[in-house]
Amino acid sequence: MPEAALDFAGEPPEAQAARIAALNDRYRHHGATAVLTGALKDPQAGKLALVSSFGAESVVLLHLVSVIDRKTPVIFIDTEMLFPETLVYQAELSERLGLENVRIIRAADEALAAEDPDGTLHRRDTDACCDLRKTRPLQRVLAEYDGWITGRKRYQGSTRQALEFFEADGPQRIKVNPLAHWAPEDIRAYMDENRLPRHPLVARGYPSIGCAPCTSPVKPGEDPRAGRWRGQDKNECGIHIVDGKVVRKGVDA
């Protein structure tokens, strides 16, 4: 937690930009562990939560948090359409790492009843389904925090090649990306060195794992995210905000 509580409500864009620039300057030459440790204590970062899908690479950041501060809030979005393997992995990994503050969030019952009563919205409008089951529940809970920690990395796409440790997430909120400079081999090496359990679906051809109806196995030579919303002009669920806009295309989740 930050050393002293600061109130960022009503912070003008120029002040937020200056704060983010100062944070990036402060931690520019630090590694992932130092960035995460500093961010969780730095008053200028504010009150943070880690948002995790408990997916293919999530264990790295979850393990780092468990080592630094197991009381860090960890937000897990249960869309109620996830693979059973993901739900089991989430429960087992949380216990194994000793995470003490895992918050499982879902869409509001009344919203589900009104917008997806038969559970088939994903067949008609995947963007609307993601908005209902992921984006809105996340935005609702993030209103309690000054920022959130993500596992985004520069190698994940052209739009992330200049990704910084700290960035804006709409007005008054920031994102922290401790693994921004990590390469795929860094992820694998960290998992091996710490003997961390992989998501069981990775070995079955799922290098990127989302909801069961919208995720398929990936063939050798395909892009790792080819199995997400296969055949659709979509590669992002919409939880990330760039320049004040929800992003559904052009950014990897």
Side-chain angles (χ1 to χ4, degrees), residues 25-245:
D25 286 342
R26 190 175 307 153
Y27 296 100
R28 187 168 306 281
H29 301 296
H30 289 62
T33 302
V35 170
L36 184 56
T37 302
L40 288 171
K41 297 179 180 179
D42 197 317
Q44 291 299 316
K47 182 182 178 183
L48 301 176
L50 167 63
V51 177
S52 178
S53 66
F54 283 78
E57 297 180 347
S58 299
V59 68
V60 170
L61 202 48
L62 289 164
H63 181 262
L64 283 170
V65 162
S66 75
V67 171
I68 296 167
D69 184 358
R70 293 182 178 182
K71 293 182 172 61
T72 300
V74 176
I75 299 169
F76 172 63
I77 310 170
D78 180 5
T79 64
E80 300 183 89
M81 288 192 169
L82 299 174
F83 288 94
E85 291 87 345
T86 296
L87 298 176
V88 172
Y89 184 63
Q90 182 273 318
E92 292 181 346
L93 191 57
S94 296
E95 182 177 0
R96 173 168 173 167
L97 297 179
L99 300 172
E100 299 178 11
N101 191 9
V102 177
R103 301 184 60 181
I104 300 176
I105 63 172
R106 301 178 178 88
D109 290 340
E110 57 272 22
L112 286 172
E115 300 173 45
D116 193 13
D118 58 358
T120 61
L121 181 59
H122 65 278
R123 299 177 188 170
R124 306 187 302 275
D125 190 336
T126 53
D127 283 352
C129 187
C130 289
D131 181 63
L132 169 65
R133 295 177 177 273
K134 294 188 71 173
T135 307
R136 274 186 270 161
L138 179 61
Q139 292 302 314
R140 186 169 60 245
V141 74
L142 284 180
E144 304 173 24
Y145 300 94
D146 299 310
W148 52 300
I149 304 161
T150 88
R152 299 163 76 224
K153 309 164 194 72
R154 288 188 171 189
Y155 74 78
Q156 290 175 318
S158 59
T159 57
R160 294 188 180 182
Q161 289 179 355
L163 188 68
E164 298 278 9
F165 286 133
F166 299 86
E167 61 178 333
D169 182 53
Q172 287 97 49
R173 195 162 60 224
I174 68 171
K175 280 188 286 197
V176 185
N177 311 301
L179 307 181
H181 300 281
W182 281 33
E185 52 268 27
D186 297 320
I187 298 292
R188 291 191 293 269
Y190 188 92
M191 289 183 180
D192 291 341
E193 290 168 5
N194 291 280
R195 300 181 180 180
L196 299 176
R198 268 65 164 179
H199 192 298
L201 291 180
V202 172
R204 290 160 51 185
Y206 292 83
S208 180
I209 304 159
C211 293
C214 299
T215 309
S216 59
V218 172
K219 299 176 182 178
E222 284 190 308
D223 183 276
R225 290 186 60 80
R228 302 291 295 276
W229 303 286
R230 186 180 290 277
Q232 300 184 46
D233 184 22
K234 174 183 172 74
N235 61 11
E236 166 64 47
C237 63
I239 65 172
H240 292 293
I241 296 175
V242 177
D243 295 330
K245 299 179 181 178

